[in-house]
């Protein structure tokens, strides 16, 4: 048993450390959508899906998202934008 898991691992509930999905520095499971923070060079994309907040670490922000450089996360563009530089400014 361990008291805490190192970066890139999570407590599986049985006192063991299991590896997070690639790119995640902290997570709640080994699933790709359960990242809470990312390793260097990855961006955290947070979305609400079916009432649950999911977090995914990607190398770049997907379409309809923009990079918020201060915290290296991807934020959603407004609903009618495919590409934007902030929540409302289309590029």
């Amino acid at each position: 048993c361990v008291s805490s898991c190192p970066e890139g691992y999570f407590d599986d509930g049985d006192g063991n450390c299991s590896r997070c999905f690639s790119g995640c520095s902290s997570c709640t499971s080994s699933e790709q959508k359960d990242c809470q923070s990312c390793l260097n060079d990855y961006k955290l994309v947070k979305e609400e899906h079916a009432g649950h907040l999911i977090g995914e670490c990607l190398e770049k922000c997907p379409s309809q998202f923009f990079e918020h450089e201060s915290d290296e996360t991807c934020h959603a563009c407004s609903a009618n934008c495919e590409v934007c530089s902030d929540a409302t400014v289309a590029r």
Side-chain angles (χ1 to χ4, degrees):
C1 291
V2 296
S3 59
S4 65
C5 296
E7 182 176 67
Y9 289 81
F10 69 97
D11 185 334
D12 67 3
D14 292 326
N16 300 309
C17 293
S18 295
R19 185 177 291 279
C20 295
F21 192 82
S22 176
C24 300
S25 63
S26 64
C27 62
T28 56
S29 83
S30 60
E31 297 294 319
Q32 183 175 5
K33 303 270 184 185
D34 288 336
C35 299
Q36 295 177 321
S37 62
C38 302
L39 297 171
N40 290 340
D41 300 326
Y42 285 86
K43 313 297 180 228
L44 182 63
V45 181
K46 289 185 180 180
E47 295 181 82
E48 190 170 326
H49 183 69
H52 299 291
L53 186 63
I54 59 172
E56 186 174 6
C57 293
L58 302 173
E59 291 183 31
K60 64 179 186 172
C61 296
S63 64
Q64 298 182 322
F65 284 81
F66 68 96
E67 182 179 342
H68 192 264
E69 292 187 23
S70 67
D71 61 3
E72 294 195 5
T73 58
C74 298
H75 296 261
C77 299
S78 62
N80 59 346
C81 293
E82 180 70 24
V83 179
C84 63
S85 57
D86 68 28
T88 59
V89 179
R91 281 195 287 165

